[in-house]
mmCIF file with all atom_site columns, all heavy atoms in Angstrom:
data_model
loop_
_atom_site.group_PDB
_atom_site.id
_atom_site.type_symbol
_atom_site.label_atom_id
_atom_site.label_alt_id
_atom_site.label_comp_id
_atom_site.label_asym_id
_atom_site.label_entity_id
_atom_site.label_seq_id
_atom_site.pdbx_PDB_ins_code
_atom_site.Cartn_x
_atom_site.Cartn_y
_atom_site.Cartn_z
_atom_site.occupancy
_atom_site.B_iso_or_equiv
_atom_site.pdbx_formal_charge
_atom_site.auth_seq_id
_atom_site.auth_comp_id
_atom_site.auth_asym_id
_atom_site.auth_atom_id
_atom_site.pdbx_PDB_model_num
ATOM 1   N N   . GLY I 1 18  ? -13.747 1.719  -36.075 1.00 0.00 ? 125 GLY I N   1
ATOM 2   C CA  . GLY I 1 18  ? -13.509 0.377  -36.637 1.00 0.00 ? 125 GLY I CA  1
ATOM 3   C C   . GLY I 1 18  ? -13.798 0.334  -38.141 1.00 0.00 ? 125 GLY I C   1
ATOM 4   O O   . GLY I 1 18  ? -14.829 0.919  -38.607 1.00 0.00 ? 125 GLY I O   1
ATOM 5   N N   . ALA I 1 58  ? -13.144 20.002 -26.843 1.00 0.00 ? 165 ALA I N   1
ATOM 6   C CA  . ALA I 1 58  ? -13.516 19.832 -25.417 1.00 0.00 ? 165 ALA I CA  1
ATOM 7   C C   . ALA I 1 58  ? -12.864 20.863 -24.470 1.00 0.00 ? 165 ALA I C   1
ATOM 8   O O   . ALA I 1 58  ? -13.049 20.733 -23.259 1.00 0.00 ? 165 ALA I O   1
ATOM 9   C CB  . ALA I 1 58  ? -13.055 18.441 -25.073 1.00 0.00 ? 165 ALA I CB  1
ATOM 10  N N   . ALA I 1 75  ? -19.182 36.889 -29.548 1.00 0.00 ? 182 ALA I N   1
ATOM 11  C CA  . ALA I 1 75  ? -19.382 35.409 -29.229 1.00 0.00 ? 182 ALA I CA  1
ATOM 12  C C   . ALA I 1 75  ? -19.894 34.669 -30.328 1.00 0.00 ? 182 ALA I C   1
ATOM 13  O O   . ALA I 1 75  ? -19.559 33.557 -30.598 1.00 0.00 ? 182 ALA I O   1
ATOM 14  C CB  . ALA I 1 75  ? -20.275 35.360 -27.969 1.00 0.00 ? 182 ALA I CB  1
ATOM 15  N N   . ILE I 1 90  ? -19.016 21.741 -28.509 1.00 0.00 ? 197 ILE I N   1
ATOM 16  C CA  . ILE I 1 90  ? -18.009 22.476 -27.685 1.00 0.00 ? 197 ILE I CA  1
ATOM 17  C C   . ILE I 1 90  ? -18.229 22.188 -26.224 1.00 0.00 ? 197 ILE I C   1
ATOM 18  O O   . ILE I 1 90  ? -19.435 22.205 -25.762 1.00 0.00 ? 197 ILE I O   1
ATOM 19  C CB  . ILE I 1 90  ? -18.170 23.979 -27.954 1.00 0.00 ? 197 ILE I CB  1
ATOM 20  C CG1 . ILE I 1 90  ? -17.642 24.376 -29.332 1.00 0.00 ? 197 ILE I CG1 1
ATOM 21  C CG2 . ILE I 1 90  ? -17.357 24.745 -26.746 1.00 0.00 ? 197 ILE I CG2 1
ATOM 22  C CD1 . ILE I 1 90  ? -18.043 25.818 -29.736 1.00 0.00 ? 197 ILE I CD1 1
ATOM 23  N N   . PRO I 1 96  ? -17.206 33.995 -18.633 1.00 0.00 ? 203 PRO I N   1
ATOM 24  C CA  . PRO I 1 96  ? -17.847 34.923 -17.823 1.00 0.00 ? 203 PRO I CA  1
ATOM 25  C C   . PRO I 1 96  ? -19.145 35.500 -18.524 1.00 0.00 ? 203 PRO I C   1
ATOM 26  O O   . PRO I 1 96  ? -19.872 36.275 -17.846 1.00 0.00 ? 203 PRO I O   1
ATOM 27  C CB  . PRO I 1 96  ? -16.866 35.949 -17.649 1.00 0.00 ? 203 PRO I CB  1
ATOM 28  C CG  . PRO I 1 96  ? -16.079 35.881 -18.969 1.00 0.00 ? 203 PRO I CG  1
ATOM 29  C CD  . PRO I 1 96  ? -16.126 34.424 -19.326 1.00 0.00 ? 203 PRO I CD  1
ATOM 30  N N   . ARG I 1 100 ? -26.323 31.381 -23.102 1.00 0.00 ? 207 ARG I N   1
ATOM 31  C CA  . ARG I 1 100 ? -27.442 30.488 -23.057 1.00 0.00 ? 207 ARG I CA  1
ATOM 32  C C   . ARG I 1 100 ? -28.254 30.659 -24.378 1.00 0.00 ? 207 ARG I C   1
ATOM 33  O O   . ARG I 1 100 ? -28.883 29.806 -24.959 1.00 0.00 ? 207 ARG I O   1
ATOM 34  C CB  . ARG I 1 100 ? -28.300 30.708 -21.832 1.00 0.00 ? 207 ARG I CB  1
ATOM 35  C CG  . ARG I 1 100 ? -29.258 29.703 -21.480 1.00 0.00 ? 207 ARG I CG  1
ATOM 36  C CD  . ARG I 1 100 ? -28.752 28.190 -21.465 1.00 0.00 ? 207 ARG I CD  1
ATOM 37  N NE  . ARG I 1 100 ? -27.947 27.884 -20.343 1.00 0.00 ? 207 ARG I NE  1
ATOM 38  C CZ  . ARG I 1 100 ? -27.393 26.624 -20.119 1.00 0.00 ? 207 ARG I CZ  1
ATOM 39  N NH1 . ARG I 1 100 ? -27.496 25.755 -21.072 1.00 0.00 ? 207 ARG I NH1 1
ATOM 40  N NH2 . ARG I 1 100 ? -26.668 26.500 -19.090 1.00 0.00 ? 207 ARG I NH2 1
ATOM 41  N N   . ASP I 1 103 ? -28.192 28.352 -27.469 1.00 0.00 ? 210 ASP I N   1
ATOM 42  C CA  . ASP I 1 103 ? -28.977 27.066 -27.509 1.00 0.00 ? 210 ASP I CA  1
ATOM 43  C C   . ASP I 1 103 ? -30.143 27.176 -28.426 1.00 0.00 ? 210 ASP I C   1
ATOM 44  O O   . ASP I 1 103 ? -30.637 26.180 -28.864 1.00 0.00 ? 210 ASP I O   1
ATOM 45  C CB  . ASP I 1 103 ? -29.372 26.662 -26.094 1.00 0.00 ? 210 ASP I CB  1
ATOM 46  C CG  . ASP I 1 103 ? -28.292 26.337 -25.191 1.00 0.00 ? 210 ASP I CG  1
ATOM 47  O OD1 . ASP I 1 103 ? -27.050 26.281 -25.646 1.00 0.00 ? 210 ASP I OD1 1
ATOM 48  O OD2 . ASP I 1 103 ? -28.560 26.162 -23.979 1.00 0.00 ? 210 ASP I OD2 1
ATOM 49  N N   . GLU I 1 106 ? -30.096 27.066 -34.220 1.00 0.00 ? 213 GLU I N   1
ATOM 50  C CA  . GLU I 1 106 ? -29.859 25.832 -34.802 1.00 0.00 ? 213 GLU I CA  1
ATOM 51  C C   . GLU I 1 106 ? -28.705 25.890 -35.761 1.00 0.00 ? 213 GLU I C   1
ATOM 52  O O   . GLU I 1 106 ? -28.140 24.836 -36.183 1.00 0.00 ? 213 GLU I O   1
ATOM 53  C CB  . GLU I 1 106 ? -31.108 25.506 -35.898 1.00 0.00 ? 213 GLU I CB  1
ATOM 54  C CG  . GLU I 1 106 ? -32.442 25.303 -35.111 1.00 0.00 ? 213 GLU I CG  1
ATOM 55  C CD  . GLU I 1 106 ? -32.659 23.696 -35.121 1.00 0.00 ? 213 GLU I CD  1
ATOM 56  O OE1 . GLU I 1 106 ? -32.756 23.113 -36.142 1.00 0.00 ? 213 GLU I OE1 1
ATOM 57  O OE2 . GLU I 1 106 ? -32.698 23.183 -34.026 1.00 0.00 ? 213 GLU I OE2 1
ATOM 58  N N   . ARG I 1 113 ? -21.606 23.643 -21.081 1.00 0.00 ? 220 ARG I N   1
ATOM 59  C CA  . ARG I 1 113 ? -21.072 24.685 -20.368 1.00 0.00 ? 220 ARG I CA  1
ATOM 60  C C   . ARG I 1 113 ? -20.471 24.215 -18.971 1.00 0.00 ? 220 ARG I C   1
ATOM 61  O O   . ARG I 1 113 ? -21.116 23.298 -18.320 1.00 0.00 ? 220 ARG I O   1
ATOM 62  C CB  . ARG I 1 113 ? -21.926 25.842 -20.159 1.00 0.00 ? 220 ARG I CB  1
ATOM 63  C CG  . ARG I 1 113 ? -22.303 26.488 -21.373 1.00 0.00 ? 220 ARG I CG  1
ATOM 64  C CD  . ARG I 1 113 ? -23.529 27.483 -21.103 1.00 0.00 ? 220 ARG I CD  1
ATOM 65  N NE  . ARG I 1 113 ? -23.952 28.059 -22.373 1.00 0.00 ? 220 ARG I NE  1
ATOM 66  C CZ  . ARG I 1 113 ? -24.710 27.480 -23.218 1.00 0.00 ? 220 ARG I CZ  1
ATOM 67  N NH1 . ARG I 1 113 ? -25.228 26.284 -22.938 1.00 0.00 ? 220 ARG I NH1 1
ATOM 68  N NH2 . ARG I 1 113 ? -25.144 28.060 -24.442 1.00 0.00 ? 220 ARG I NH2 1
ATOM 69  N N   . ILE I 1 132 ? -12.103 33.797 -5.491  1.00 0.00 ? 239 ILE I N   1
ATOM 70  C CA  . ILE I 1 132 ? -12.598 33.546 -4.170  1.00 0.00 ? 239 ILE I CA  1
ATOM 71  C C   . ILE I 1 132 ? -11.529 32.870 -3.203  1.00 0.00 ? 239 ILE I C   1
ATOM 72  O O   . ILE I 1 132 ? -10.460 32.491 -3.620  1.00 0.00 ? 239 ILE I O   1
ATOM 73  C CB  . ILE I 1 132 ? -13.858 32.695 -4.152  1.00 0.00 ? 239 ILE I CB  1
ATOM 74  C CG1 . ILE I 1 132 ? -13.446 31.287 -4.771  1.00 0.00 ? 239 ILE I CG1 1
ATOM 75  C CG2 . ILE I 1 132 ? -14.918 33.368 -4.967  1.00 0.00 ? 239 ILE I CG2 1
ATOM 76  C CD1 . ILE I 1 132 ? -14.459 30.231 -4.423  1.00 0.00 ? 239 ILE I CD1 1
ATOM 77  N N   . THR I 1 167 ? 2.111   27.293 -8.023  1.00 0.00 ? 274 THR I N   1
ATOM 78  C CA  . THR I 1 167 ? 1.806   26.541 -6.789  1.00 0.00 ? 274 THR I CA  1
ATOM 79  C C   . THR I 1 167 ? 0.247   26.209 -6.907  1.00 0.00 ? 274 THR I C   1
ATOM 80  O O   . THR I 1 167 ? -0.482  26.801 -7.531  1.00 0.00 ? 274 THR I O   1
ATOM 81  C CB  . THR I 1 167 ? 2.054   27.260 -5.499  1.00 0.00 ? 274 THR I CB  1
ATOM 82  O OG1 . THR I 1 167 ? 1.214   28.381 -5.355  1.00 0.00 ? 274 THR I OG1 1
ATOM 83  C CG2 . THR I 1 167 ? 3.497   27.728 -5.331  1.00 0.00 ? 274 THR I CG2 1
ATOM 84  N N   . HIS I 1 192 ? -7.905  23.644 -14.508 1.00 0.00 ? 299 HIS I N   1
ATOM 85  C CA  . HIS I 1 192 ? -6.718  24.112 -15.214 1.00 0.00 ? 299 HIS I CA  1
ATOM 86  C C   . HIS I 1 192 ? -5.458  23.701 -14.360 1.00 0.00 ? 299 HIS I C   1
ATOM 87  O O   . HIS I 1 192 ? -5.506  24.216 -13.183 1.00 0.00 ? 299 HIS I O   1
ATOM 88  C CB  . HIS I 1 192 ? -6.896  25.684 -15.276 1.00 0.00 ? 299 HIS I CB  1
ATOM 89  C CG  . HIS I 1 192 ? -5.518  26.235 -15.594 1.00 0.00 ? 299 HIS I CG  1
ATOM 90  N ND1 . HIS I 1 192 ? -5.237  26.827 -16.850 1.00 0.00 ? 299 HIS I ND1 1
ATOM 91  C CD2 . HIS I 1 192 ? -4.429  26.469 -14.893 1.00 0.00 ? 299 HIS I CD2 1
ATOM 92  C CE1 . HIS I 1 192 ? -4.114  27.370 -16.803 1.00 0.00 ? 299 HIS I CE1 1
ATOM 93  N NE2 . HIS I 1 192 ? -3.531  27.162 -15.646 1.00 0.00 ? 299 HIS I NE2 1
ATOM 94  N N   . SER I 1 198 ? -0.229  20.313 -8.156  1.00 0.00 ? 305 SER I N   1
ATOM 95  C CA  . SER I 1 198 ? -1.616  20.387 -7.889  1.00 0.00 ? 305 SER I CA  1
ATOM 96  C C   . SER I 1 198 ? -2.452  19.077 -8.142  1.00 0.00 ? 305 SER I C   1
ATOM 97  O O   . SER I 1 198 ? -3.568  18.998 -7.764  1.00 0.00 ? 305 SER I O   1
ATOM 98  C CB  . SER I 1 198 ? -2.248  21.477 -8.737  1.00 0.00 ? 305 SER I CB  1
ATOM 99  O OG  . SER I 1 198 ? -2.027  21.292 -10.192 1.00 0.00 ? 305 SER I OG  1
ATOM 100 N N   . SER I 1 205 ? -9.074  13.523 -4.697  1.00 0.00 ? 312 SER I N   1
ATOM 101 C CA  . SER I 1 205 ? -10.365 14.169 -4.290  1.00 0.00 ? 312 SER I CA  1
ATOM 102 C C   . SER I 1 205 ? -11.499 13.795 -5.267  1.00 0.00 ? 312 SER I C   1
ATOM 103 O O   . SER I 1 205 ? -12.637 14.198 -5.053  1.00 0.00 ? 312 SER I O   1
ATOM 104 C CB  . SER I 1 205 ? -10.273 15.593 -4.135  1.00 0.00 ? 312 SER I CB  1
ATOM 105 O OG  . SER I 1 205 ? -9.215  15.897 -3.197  1.00 0.00 ? 312 SER I OG  1
ATOM 106 N N   . ARG I 1 227 ? -8.096  6.020  -11.509 1.00 0.00 ? 334 ARG I N   1
ATOM 107 C CA  . ARG I 1 227 ? -9.268  6.865  -11.190 1.00 0.00 ? 334 ARG I CA  1
ATOM 108 C C   . ARG I 1 227 ? -10.039 7.316  -12.490 1.00 0.00 ? 334 ARG I C   1
ATOM 109 O O   . ARG I 1 227 ? -11.094 7.911  -12.434 1.00 0.00 ? 334 ARG I O   1
ATOM 110 C CB  . ARG I 1 227 ? -8.836  8.213  -10.608 1.00 0.00 ? 334 ARG I CB  1
ATOM 111 C CG  . ARG I 1 227 ? -8.191  8.015  -9.208  1.00 0.00 ? 334 ARG I CG  1
ATOM 112 C CD  . ARG I 1 227 ? -9.095  7.561  -8.220  1.00 0.00 ? 334 ARG I CD  1
ATOM 113 N NE  . ARG I 1 227 ? -8.485  7.376  -6.818  1.00 0.00 ? 334 ARG I NE  1
ATOM 114 C CZ  . ARG I 1 227 ? -8.963  8.088  -5.774  1.00 0.00 ? 334 ARG I CZ  1
ATOM 115 N NH1 . ARG I 1 227 ? -10.005 8.865  -5.782  1.00 0.00 ? 334 ARG I NH1 1
ATOM 116 N NH2 . ARG I 1 227 ? -8.283  7.902  -4.558  1.00 0.00 ? 334 ARG I NH2 1
ATOM 117 N N   . GLY I 1 247 ? 8.398   36.476 -21.317 1.00 0.00 ? 354 GLY I N   1
ATOM 118 C CA  . GLY I 1 247 ? 7.866   37.669 -20.776 1.00 0.00 ? 354 GLY I CA  1
ATOM 119 C C   . GLY I 1 247 ? 8.057   37.765 -19.322 1.00 0.00 ? 354 GLY I C   1
ATOM 120 O O   . GLY I 1 247 ? 8.053   38.850 -18.755 1.00 0.00 ? 354 GLY I O   1
ATOM 121 N N   . GLY I 1 277 ? -3.126  4.656  -21.041 1.00 0.00 ? 384 GLY I N   1
ATOM 122 C CA  . GLY I 1 277 ? -4.538  4.303  -21.163 1.00 0.00 ? 384 GLY I CA  1
ATOM 123 C C   . GLY I 1 277 ? -5.384  5.478  -20.436 1.00 0.00 ? 384 GLY I C   1
ATOM 124 O O   . GLY I 1 277 ? -6.552  5.351  -20.297 1.00 0.00 ? 384 GLY I O   1
ATOM 125 N N   . ALA I 1 305 ? 2.705   14.450 -31.264 1.00 0.00 ? 412 ALA I N   1
ATOM 126 C CA  . ALA I 1 305 ? 3.118   13.964 -29.870 1.00 0.00 ? 412 ALA I CA  1
ATOM 127 C C   . ALA I 1 305 ? 3.240   12.439 -29.882 1.00 0.00 ? 412 ALA I C   1
ATOM 128 O O   . ALA I 1 305 ? 3.861   11.813 -28.967 1.00 0.00 ? 412 ALA I O   1
ATOM 129 C CB  . ALA I 1 305 ? 2.084   14.421 -28.824 1.00 0.00 ? 412 ALA I CB  1
ATOM 130 N N   . THR I 1 317 ? -13.757 13.114 -31.970 1.00 0.00 ? 424 THR I N   1
ATOM 131 C CA  . THR I 1 317 ? -15.050 12.559 -32.669 1.00 0.00 ? 424 THR I CA  1
ATOM 132 C C   . THR I 1 317 ? -15.763 11.621 -31.698 1.00 0.00 ? 424 THR I C   1
ATOM 133 O O   . THR I 1 317 ? -16.361 11.965 -30.781 1.00 0.00 ? 424 THR I O   1
ATOM 134 C CB  . THR I 1 317 ? -14.851 12.056 -34.078 1.00 0.00 ? 424 THR I CB  1
ATOM 135 O OG1 . THR I 1 317 ? -13.830 10.944 -33.979 1.00 0.00 ? 424 THR I OG1 1
ATOM 136 C CG2 . THR I 1 317 ? -14.331 13.135 -34.922 1.00 0.00 ? 424 THR I CG2 1
ATOM 137 N N   . ARG I 1 326 ? -22.909 12.542 -25.769 1.00 0.00 ? 433 ARG I N   1
ATOM 138 C CA  . ARG I 1 326 ? -23.700 12.981 -26.903 1.00 0.00 ? 433 ARG I CA  1
ATOM 139 C C   . ARG I 1 326 ? -23.383 11.945 -28.049 1.00 0.00 ? 433 ARG I C   1
ATOM 140 O O   . ARG I 1 326 ? -22.280 11.351 -28.185 1.00 0.00 ? 433 ARG I O   1
ATOM 141 C CB  . ARG I 1 326 ? -23.053 14.372 -27.430 1.00 0.00 ? 433 ARG I CB  1
ATOM 142 C CG  . ARG I 1 326 ? -23.386 15.469 -26.405 1.00 0.00 ? 433 ARG I CG  1
ATOM 143 C CD  . ARG I 1 326 ? -24.822 15.781 -26.147 1.00 0.00 ? 433 ARG I CD  1
ATOM 144 N NE  . ARG I 1 326 ? -25.009 16.723 -25.151 1.00 0.00 ? 433 ARG I NE  1
ATOM 145 C CZ  . ARG I 1 326 ? -25.293 18.017 -25.320 1.00 0.00 ? 433 ARG I CZ  1
ATOM 146 N NH1 . ARG I 1 326 ? -25.381 18.508 -26.625 1.00 0.00 ? 433 ARG I NH1 1
ATOM 147 N NH2 . ARG I 1 326 ? -25.435 18.805 -24.334 1.00 0.00 ? 433 ARG I NH2 1
ATOM 148 N N   . LEU I 1 337 ? -22.579 16.589 -38.838 1.00 0.00 ? 444 LEU I N   1
ATOM 149 C CA  . LEU I 1 337 ? -21.401 15.910 -39.404 1.00 0.00 ? 444 LEU I CA  1
ATOM 150 C C   . LEU I 1 337 ? -20.630 16.805 -40.345 1.00 0.00 ? 444 LEU I C   1
ATOM 151 O O   . LEU I 1 337 ? -21.084 17.844 -40.771 1.00 0.00 ? 444 LEU I O   1
ATOM 152 C CB  . LEU I 1 337 ? -21.959 14.569 -40.238 1.00 0.00 ? 444 LEU I CB  1
ATOM 153 C CG  . LEU I 1 337 ? -23.017 14.960 -41.291 1.00 0.00 ? 444 LEU I CG  1
ATOM 154 C CD1 . LEU I 1 337 ? -22.404 14.844 -42.668 1.00 0.00 ? 444 LEU I CD1 1
ATOM 155 C CD2 . LEU I 1 337 ? -24.171 13.842 -41.254 1.00 0.00 ? 444 LEU I CD2 1
ATOM 156 N N   . ALA I 1 346 ? -6.318  8.589  -43.030 1.00 0.00 ? 453 ALA I N   1
ATOM 157 C CA  . ALA I 1 346 ? -4.968  8.492  -43.743 1.00 0.00 ? 453 ALA I CA  1
ATOM 158 C C   . ALA I 1 346 ? -4.110  9.674  -43.458 1.00 0.00 ? 453 ALA I C   1
ATOM 159 O O   . ALA I 1 346 ? -2.867  9.550  -43.343 1.00 0.00 ? 453 ALA I O   1
ATOM 160 C CB  . ALA I 1 346 ? -5.111  8.356  -45.211 1.00 0.00 ? 453 ALA I CB  1
#
Side-chain angles (χ1 to χ4, degrees):
I197 287 169
R207 197 51 76 181
D210 296 353
E213 290 260 300
R220 295 170 186 79
I239 61 161
T274 66
H299 163 111
S305 56
S312 299
R334 300 289 184 121
T424 55
R433 298 297 174 101
L444 56 101

